[in-house]
């Protein structure tokens, strides 16, 4: 009898108590702590004359599909546009990326030189990139329509041929003239008030040296396209939303729930406790002097954002989270791309841990920071393996004398527990979110019933990342460069997700009775970008800034054109 009770206690302890303690109880702590400590959202009343200049760095490589939309979202910012400098660093794209940027530059220059101040005149102006802006320059964000023509800031284009995203970012940083430097991905689309709210964070909290933005998944950014990639417009001149299959909705809206919890609860809690684990590559901002004192971005890991985050922690820089500065991302809606994304995320996380082992558990740099970083590793890694192993073993427990009824009860209770956790997370985020995000939460709340399946999929992909790292020949004692042979790495990942996708498609077909239709047009994802790493025979790192042809005579020996654009050669030191 006692032996049976002991076995039952072990069984239920592993399957119920541990999940409750580490997932349920910690989530409850996060929520209570945020309610008590987090500042309340409020309108920011900033003196326009005292606002600092802002530089936005956008590294690109073969991004003709996204660069227009990214720039258009920046051109509708409510921040004083004369204080915005956009620097696009093109890593030698072989498509039309640079040409598209130059057409935006020409539009901006013509608007500024003609001194058009009538919004109607600007809207009706026809430029080469008129189609890039949508019909008549219209852009729809959260149900509101904005005009993208008439931007009053500065747009610069740097074309370089040296390989790697980290070096592209560092090039933009060294050329930036703003007091606040914001780094975004080409697939990041900033809300109209994102820059204003990000700068407000730095002004209201002078102790902050860097901050990550609030990144939100928006499936409405997935637009209908033709087979050649061109957008399809509706009758009002807006991009036509794409019709999503059940599988695509499952991935897209589950990612919305995941990001919602990760940023609205996770990043907010890390901000309060001073334990920001990683900046978001999609949207992060830095004080210029803080960034230039760091080692900047490094190519020694695929997670350059996390590497820089821990570098700044080591310098005792106060890092934070700007909850009101929002950036939108398109969801990954194919299992192939999702597999590649998560492989790279967790592979990079493991690499960074290996490079910063002296940081973890170092309570001399702050108890709260060291404690919560350690807890995060325990949850993400230490308990990641048991979850995978027990999932495989659970169906076999009847071989050890457990009844099928007991096993089914454990599975149902666990699943119900995680459904409840996700439901509470969504309700809590609804309470603290803005009106637009609340509407999205209402539209996805029922996905709490399937997000436990999404969690399980991510656990399997994370386990695949562990195995991928274990295959690396390098030792942890020396700095590694896993993207040195990115071609082979991408082929390995591609082979893995093709096998996973084939199995997933077969299971989906059995469940739904429908065949998976081929995708006419497939979105790219940042995690599979090479930034030219696969090129051979490149130039020696020389680069140039592109100056639009304005038919004006250059001054100062050709180095300046009307005071707006500069052209010079620059070699990274």
């Amino acid at each position: 009898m006692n032996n049976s009770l002991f076995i039952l206690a072990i069984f239920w302890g592993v399957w119920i108590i541990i999940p409750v303690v580490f997932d349920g109880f910690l989530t409850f702590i996060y929520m209570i702590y945020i309610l008590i400590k987090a500042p309340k959202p409020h309108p920011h009343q900033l003196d326009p004359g005292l606002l600092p200049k802002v530089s936005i760095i956008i590294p690109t490589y073969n991004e003709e599909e996204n660069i227009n939309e990214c720039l258009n979202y920046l051109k509708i910012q409510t921040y004083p546009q004369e204080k915005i400098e956009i620097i696009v660093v093109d890593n030698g794209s072989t498509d039309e990326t640079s040409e598209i940027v130059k057409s935006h530059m020409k539009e901006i220059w013509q608007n500024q030189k003609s001194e058009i101040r009538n919004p109607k005149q600007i809207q009706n102006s026809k430029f080469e990139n008129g189609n890039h802006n949508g019909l008549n320059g219209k852009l729809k964000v959260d149900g509101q329509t904005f005009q993208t023509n008439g931007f009053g800031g500065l747009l610069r284009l740097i074309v370089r041929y040296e390989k790697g995203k980290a070096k592209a970012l560092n090039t933009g940083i060294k050329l930036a003239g703003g007091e606040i430097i914001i780094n975004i991905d080409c697939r990041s689309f900033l809300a109209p008030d994102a820059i204003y709210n990000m700068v407000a964070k730095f002004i209201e909290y002078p102790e902050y040296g860097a901050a990550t933005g609030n990144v939100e998944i928006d499936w409405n950014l997935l637009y209908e396209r033709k087979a050649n990639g061109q957008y399809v417009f509706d009758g009002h001149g807006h991009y036509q939303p794409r019709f999503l299959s059940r599988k695509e909705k499952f991935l897209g809206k589950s990612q919305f729930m995941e990001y919602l919890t990760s940023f609205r609860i996770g990043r907010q809690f890390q901000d309060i406790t001073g334990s920001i684990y990683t900046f978001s590559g999609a949207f992060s901002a830095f004080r210029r002097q803080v960034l230039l004192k760091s080692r900047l971005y490094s190519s020694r890991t695929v997670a350059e954002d996390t590497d820089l985050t821990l570098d700044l922690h080591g310098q005792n820089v106060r890092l934070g989270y700007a909850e009101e500065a929002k950036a939108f991302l398109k969801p990954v809606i194919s299992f192939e791309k999702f597999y590649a994304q998560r492989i790279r995320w967790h592979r990079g996380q493991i690499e960074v841990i290996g490079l910063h082992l002296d940081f973890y558990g170092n309570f001399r740099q702050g108890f709260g920071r060291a404690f919560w970083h350690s807890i995060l590793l325990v949850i993400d890694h230490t308990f990641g393996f048991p979850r995978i192993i027990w999932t495989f073993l659970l169906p076999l427990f009847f071989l050890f004398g457990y009844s099928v009824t007991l096993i089914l009860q454990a599975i149902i209770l666990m699943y119900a527990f995680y459904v409840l956790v996700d439901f509470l997370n969504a309700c809590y985020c609804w309470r603290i979110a803005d009106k637009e995000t609340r509407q999205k939460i209402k539209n996805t709340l029922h996905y709490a019933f399937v997000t436990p399946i999404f969690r399980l999929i991510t656990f399997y992909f994370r386990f695949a990342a562990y195995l991928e790292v274990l295959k690396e020949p390098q030792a942890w004692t020396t700095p590694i460069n896993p993207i040195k042979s990115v071609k082979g790495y991408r082929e390995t990942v591609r082979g893995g997700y093709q096998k996973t996708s084939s199995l997933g498609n077969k299971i989906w077909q059995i469940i739904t009775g429908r065949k998976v239709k081929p995708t006419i047009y497939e979105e790219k994802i940042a995690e599979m970008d090479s930034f030219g790493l696969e090129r051979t025979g490149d130039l020696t790192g020389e680069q140039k800034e592109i100056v639009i042809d304005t038919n004006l005579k250059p001054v100062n020996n050709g180095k300046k054109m009307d005071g707006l654009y500069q052209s010079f050669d620059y070699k990274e030191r």
Side-chain angles (χ1 to χ4, degrees):
M1 179 67 180
N2 291 335
N3 188 43
S4 299
L5 288 174
F6 176 75
I7 293 175
L8 283 174
I10 293 295
F11 183 85
W12 290 106
V14 169
W15 283 105
I16 302 299
I17 297 175
I18 289 180
V20 166
V21 170
F22 283 94
D23 289 325
F25 184 64
L26 282 178
T27 300
F28 180 73
I29 290 177
Y30 289 176
M31 292 178 180
I32 296 299
Y33 209 78
I34 292 171
L35 281 175
I36 297 174
K37 295 285 188 177
K40 305 300 180 185
H42 61 281
H44 303 289
Q45 302 295 332
L46 305 179
D47 185 348
L50 299 179
L51 292 177
K53 181 179 179 181
V54 175
S55 295
I56 304 166
I57 315 298
I58 312 174
T60 66
Y61 180 70
N62 289 347
E63 285 290 354
E64 64 180 4
E65 301 169 3
N66 294 292
I67 187 62
N68 285 305
E69 202 171 356
C70 180
L71 291 176
N72 286 335
Y73 272 79
L74 292 175
K75 288 160 68 176
I76 62 172
Q77 292 296 307
T78 59
Y79 195 79
Q81 294 184 347
E82 67 276 9
K83 296 187 177 184
I84 296 178
E85 173 190 49
I86 305 171
I87 303 177
V88 179
V89 184
D90 184 3
N91 252 29
S93 296
T94 56
D95 63 1
E96 296 297 311
T97 300
S98 289
E99 295 304 315
I100 294 171
V101 176
K102 283 190 280 187
S103 68
H104 280 270
M105 293 170 67
K106 184 174 182 179
E107 173 203 314
I108 294 169
W109 185 86
Q110 288 181 338
N111 273 332
Q112 293 177 350
K113 288 304 296 178
S114 59
E115 296 182 352
I116 297 176
R117 291 296 177 264
N118 188 333
K120 292 184 178 180
Q121 290 180 317
I122 294 176
Q123 291 170 18
N124 294 329
S125 299
K126 298 295 183 182
F127 302 107
E128 291 180 9
N129 70 329
N131 189 48
H132 302 323
N133 290 339
L135 298 181
N136 297 321
K138 292 182 179 180
L139 184 65
K140 193 173 183 179
V141 184
D142 280 336
Q144 300 183 51
T145 300
F146 297 86
Q147 290 294 148
T148 60
N149 293 335
F151 178 68
L154 177 64
L155 173 61
R156 304 170 65 185
L157 171 62
I158 311 295
V159 177
R160 62 191 301 281
Y161 297 92
E162 200 169 358
K163 304 173 184 179
K165 179 181 179 181
K167 291 182 179 179
L169 281 166
N170 293 342
T171 296
I173 290 169
K174 292 175 182 178
L175 296 178
E179 296 177 42
I180 302 295
I181 296 177
I182 297 176
N183 298 332
I184 67 174
D185 283 337
C186 199
R187 298 173 185 85
S188 302
F189 311 111
L190 303 190
D193 57 356
I195 296 178
Y196 187 89
N197 288 333
M198 178 63 82
V199 173
K201 183 78 173 183
F202 285 97
I203 292 178
E204 294 176 0
Y205 299 91
E207 69 273 17
Y208 280 76
T212 188
N214 177 17
V215 180
E216 183 176 291
I217 292 292
D218 189 354
W219 58 89
N220 294 315
L221 291 172
L222 296 170
Y223 303 121
E224 195 71 37
R225 297 202 190 198
K226 300 176 183 178
N228 61 2
Q230 291 183 347
Y231 288 111
V232 176
F233 297 100
D234 61 19
H236 302 286
H238 299 133
Y239 296 129
Q240 177 70 39
R242 174 176 172 176
F243 175 79
L244 300 180
S245 66
R246 290 179 182 175
K247 182 183 73 172
E248 292 171 339
K249 287 181 180 178
F250 165 73
L251 282 174
K253 297 194 175 184
S254 294
Q255 286 171 72
F256 170 77
M257 299 279 282
E258 178 191 34
Y259 274 69
L260 187 72
T261 303
S262 297
F263 282 87
R264 295 280 182 173
I265 298 179
R267 291 294 200 285
Q268 183 75 77
F269 179 81
Q270 292 173 12
D271 180 19
I272 296 170
T273 57
S275 60
I276 291 290
Y277 180 73
T278 182
F279 293 127
S280 170
F283 185 25
S284 294
F286 308 82
R287 293 189 189 274
R288 177 184 175 84
Q289 66 271 25
V290 168
L291 195 54
L292 294 180
K293 288 180 182 178
S294 72
R295 291 181 294 188
L296 299 182
Y297 288 93
S298 172
S299 299
R300 59 182 180 171
T301 169
V302 296
E304 64 276 341
D305 304 297
T306 308
D307 194 15
L308 176 60
T309 305
L310 297 185
D311 180 26
L312 293 177
H313 271 309
Q315 300 178 35
N316 288 319
V317 176
R318 181 70 167 92
L319 311 180
Y321 162 66
E323 64 278 1
E324 296 179 75
K326 189 191 298 185
F328 302 107
L329 285 185
K330 299 177 183 179
V332 182
I333 54 173
S334 75
F335 280 111
E336 298 94 331
K337 296 290 194 297
F338 186 66
Y339 177 87
Q341 180 191 68
R342 298 311 164 105
I343 281 278
R344 183 155 182 170
W345 282 6
H346 296 295
R347 176 190 174 118
Q349 189 181 46
I350 295 171
E351 291 166 357
V352 171
I353 292 171
L355 293 168
H356 294 272
L357 284 175
D358 57 332
F359 176 80
Y360 294 96
N362 186 354
F363 291 93
R364 289 177 297 178
Q365 295 188 9
F367 176 83
R369 181 194 304 170
F371 175 77
W372 289 112
H373 276 165
S374 300
I375 289 293
L376 180 65
L377 289 182
V378 168
I379 295 173
D380 276 0
H381 297 280
T382 306
F383 282 97
F385 285 101
R387 283 167 175 159
I388 297 295
I389 295 170
W390 282 100
T391 302
F392 283 117
L393 290 178
L394 183 60
L396 304 177
F397 271 30
F398 72 93
L399 298 175
F400 299 94
Y402 293 98
S403 69
V404 175
T405 302
L406 184 64
I407 296 172
L408 290 175
Q409 286 176 346
I411 294 175
I412 293 172
L413 283 174
M414 262 203 316
Y415 195 91
F417 166 74
Y418 281 112
V419 167
L420 178 62
V421 169
D422 287 325
F423 180 80
L424 292 177
N425 283 339
C427 292
Y428 178 82
C429 291
W430 184 89
R431 183 186 181 279
I432 62 176
D434 54 76
K435 182 177 67 174
E436 293 78 14
T437 302
R438 284 185 174 185
Q439 186 58 46
K440 293 175 186 174
I441 294 173
K442 286 178 63 177
N443 294 337
T444 56
L445 190 58
H446 57 285
Y447 276 82
F449 290 102
V450 295
T451 46
I453 299 174
F454 177 81
R455 286 172 179 262
L456 191 60
I457 293 173
T458 60
F459 285 146
Y460 284 129
F461 290 172
R462 182 179 299 173
F463 188 69
Y466 298 149
L467 297 179
E468 180 64 27
V469 170
L470 291 175
K471 290 167 57 179
E472 287 294 324
Q474 294 94 337
W476 287 114
T477 54
T478 58
I480 62 173
N481 184 10
I483 56 176
K484 186 176 180 181
S485 56
V486 70
K487 207 168 185 180
Y489 165 66
R490 293 173 74 196
E491 290 301 321
T492 300
V493 172
R494 185 175 291 110
Y497 71 59
Q498 283 176 348
K499 294 176 183 178
T500 304
S501 173
S502 177
L503 177 61
N505 288 338
K506 289 179 181 177
I507 295 174
W508 187 264
Q509 184 175 344
I510 292 172
I511 295 173
T512 63
R514 298 180 179 181
K515 291 185 178 181
V516 178
K517 296 181 179 180
T519 303
I520 296 177
Y521 180 83
E522 192 168 12
E523 302 281 352
K524 294 166 60 180
I525 64 169
E527 286 72 21
M528 290 300 288
D529 281 348
S530 64
F531 276 87
L533 285 169
E534 76 281 4
R535 291 194 308 248
T536 58
D538 281 348
L539 301 180
T540 59
E542 292 186 355
Q543 62 192 38
K544 60 181 179 179
E545 180 163 358
I546 302 300
V547 181
I548 60 172
D549 182 9
T550 59
N551 296 320
L552 296 177
K553 293 182 179 180
V555 297
N556 295 338
N557 298 321
K559 293 185 178 181
K560 288 188 178 181
M561 181 169 287
D562 202 42
L564 289 177
Y565 306 99
Q566 297 179 350
S567 176
F568 54 86
D569 291 328
Y570 171 82
K571 186 173 291 186
E572 187 173 9
R573 295 175 176 81

